[in-house]
Amino acid sequence: MNEFRTLADLLCAPTRGRRVFVRADLNVPLDEGRIRDDLRIRATLPTLERLLADGARVVVASHLGRPNGRCVPALSLAPIADRLEAQLGHPVQFEPSLDPDRLAARVAALADGELLLLENLRFEPGETANDPAFVDRLARLADVYVLDAFASAHRAHASTLGLQERFDARAVGELVEWELRHLEPLLEPDAPFVCLVGGAKVANKAPLLEALAQRADTLAIGGAMAFPFLSAKGQSVGASLFEPEATGLACRVLAAAARSGCRLLLPRDHRVCSSDGTILVSKEIAAGAAALDIGPETAAAFTRALEAAKTVFWNGPMGVFEQKGFGEGTRTVAEAVAKSGAYTVVGGGETVAALREFGLEEGPRHVSTGGGAALEYVAGHELPALAALRI
Ligand code: ADP
Ligand code: MG
């Protein structure tokens, strides 16, 4: 970790009285406004506790979901402020407006050792666009910058990247350090290295599988991630969640796996919801039917691969585990991952929520707050928000 500027380096000079902007990732999975899993909130505490104890005036910012530059009340950070306050055991002030004058006034009113949480940064289009004007607005709020949003470190957004350049005093936070310490062994994994990938963010994640196929001994693919692969192999995916554009990417991954000798495991059976609403296990996906989970034969094959592994990385549920009748595949692989004696990293908002719902979040493994970010890291990519914080 001596490659990055750290919080310890920053705290060599006391932060008492200084305004510290902490880009956290409080993008927790929500279920009709209810926080499904607060790992990302809890994981942010060490950095905040250290800064508050040092007497800093802490300004915390995050995004939540994808409001696409508009104010979406359901994606307000107000409920996160309440949970953060409860977890921190310290008052959390919340400013519901991103208006520059309001924010300036709120930050100016902060006393030493006080904390202000800003509203969802993605309510402003300038955040994801890394717009210099929005960067200016944020830069005025602080003297010191801390990146603790590991789960957003693969994003070159205003608060994760643009803002860094405006501060001489900048560092990664405790969470980022902790994540890197645990993810680093995956760059030189003990073989067999088994990567298990599922979930729904196919367009974001599929491009990374090509690099992953070159590193892993086995790549097991479930969830909606499997459909472009099945389609590339000429199988019908019925009415499953599927973007035909991803089929080309899947072909590239299949070729990369063949070149590097990576064993690719795809679903052989599915739990499908047919057009009349009945749930059945089937090897084929009929027209009008949606495959919402991997079938038992597939789960058994993935389990065998996990049993033989020395290193495991898992991101993305195997099915729509949130829905009754479609959690079995995810539960079976989660149990195999929990039992495995391999060096294991599990990451991703929904993946970790699933572990928790199955009562499997404790265990001899690293539970990462990052899904896409962890996947990019394991694929060997430099995370843009971290690159700028190297010494
Ligand atoms: P993570 O948050 O762990 O990184 P993603 O965000 O990529 O994972 O995807 C999680 C979502 O994928 C879950 O909400 C789950 O319902 C969905 N999903 C998994 N399998 C399927 C499937 N076969 N069809 C549709 N959605 C799926
Ligand atoms: Mg997710």
Side-chain angles (χ1 to χ4, degrees):
M1 270 311 300
N2 45 15
E3 322 155 55
F4 290 95
R5 306 185 202 202
T6 65
L7 202 58
D9 299 332
L10 267 186
L11 295 177
C12 287
T15 51
R16 175 166 295 281
R18 297 171 86 198
R19 301 167 304 159
V20 182
F21 185 100
V22 179
R23 176 48 160 106
D25 188 314
L26 304 172
N27 180 33
V28 292
L30 293 174
D31 180 13
E32 290 175 9
R34 193 179 59 88
I35 297 172
R36 271 189 99 94
D37 178 71
D38 64 2
L39 171 71
R40 285 184 176 164
I41 298 175
R42 288 181 282 124
T44 306
L45 301 180
T47 291
L48 301 182
E49 282 164 354
R50 264 185 94 168
L51 287 168
L52 291 170
D54 205 48
R57 303 176 180 195
V58 184
V59 178
V60 184
S62 174
H63 74 283
L64 179 63
R66 298 182 168 191
N68 296 324
R70 288 175 302 113
C71 174
V72 177
L75 294 175
S76 167
L77 282 174
I80 314 285
D82 293 342
R83 182 66 68 92
L84 179 62
E85 181 166 280
Q87 297 281 4
L88 200 54
H90 185 284
V92 169
Q93 303 176 30
F94 178 66
E95 172 48 55
S97 155
L98 287 166
D99 173 75
D101 296 333
R102 287 273 327 144
L103 284 184
R106 291 297 298 260
V107 173
L110 280 178
D112 296 357
E114 286 190 348
L115 183 150
L116 173 71
L117 177 66
L118 307 189
E119 183 53 289
N120 191 342
L121 293 179
R122 289 195 191 166
F123 286 179
E124 288 283 337
E127 166 62 1
T128 52
N130 192 9
D131 171 10
F134 188 57
V135 169
D136 281 344
R137 278 166 56 182
L138 296 176
R140 269 182 241 128
L141 303 176
D143 312 299
V144 176
Y145 174 91
V146 174
L147 180 86
D148 214 21
F150 177 76
S152 302
H154 59 317
R155 303 283 182 221
H157 294 169
S159 65
T160 58
L161 185 64
L163 194 55
Q164 293 188 18
E165 287 154 19
R166 310 296 176 92
F167 294 92
D168 289 330
R170 57 179 196 251
V172 299
E174 300 267 290
L175 172 60
V176 168
E177 278 196 66
W178 178 79
E179 291 278 8
L180 293 176
R181 222 173 16 249
H182 288 89
L183 283 163
E184 228 158 36
L186 296 186
L187 297 181
E188 285 177 28
D190 285 339
F193 178 25
V194 177
C195 287
L196 185 61
V197 181
K201 289 186 187 153
V202 175
N204 283 350
K205 293 176 179 177
L208 300 168
L209 299 184
E210 207 176 332
L212 216 54
Q214 285 157 40
R215 293 168 169 259
D217 299 292
T218 301
L219 180 55
I221 301 178
M225 190 65 81
F227 302 131
F229 289 88
L230 297 178
S231 162
K233 287 178 162 275
Q235 297 180 32
S236 153
V237 299
S240 306
L241 180 66
F242 168 63
E243 293 157 25
E245 310 83 73
T247 307
L249 284 171
C251 290
R252 298 233 302 271
V253 180
L254 288 167
R259 272 198 310 276
S260 62
C262 169
R263 191 163 64 116
L264 206 82
L265 296 181
L266 292 172
R268 300 178 204 163
D269 61 344
H270 314 270
R271 249 188 203 92
V272 300
C273 182
S274 2
S275 42
D276 63 2
T278 53
I279 299 175
L280 48 106
V281 171
S282 161
K283 290 207 188 305
E284 268 93 49
I285 310 169
L292 297 181
D293 194 10
I294 55 172
E297 208 182 285
T298 306
F302 287 9
T303 298
R304 281 194 297 279
L306 290 165
E307 280 166 356
K310 285 273 194 309
T311 311
V312 172
F313 174 71
W314 175 25
N315 168 247
M318 296 292 107
V320 185
F321 70 96
E322 300 95 333
Q323 215 170 302
K324 207 168 171 289
F326 300 103
E328 227 14 70
T330 305
R331 178 194 292 275
T332 305
V333 301
E335 281 167 354
V337 166
K339 270 199 222 118
S340 146
Y343 183 83
T344 302
V345 175
V346 181
E350 267 85 22
T351 310
V352 173
L355 274 187
R356 195 177 173 83
E357 270 155 47
F358 301 145
L360 293 168
E361 82 264 64
E362 304 297 333
R365 60 175 182 274
H366 176 62
V367 176
S368 172
T369 56
L375 197 59
E376 294 234 8
Y377 184 87
V378 178
H381 293 188
E382 173 97 291
L383 305 180
L386 292 186
L389 290 162
R390 282 190 188 281
I391 290 170

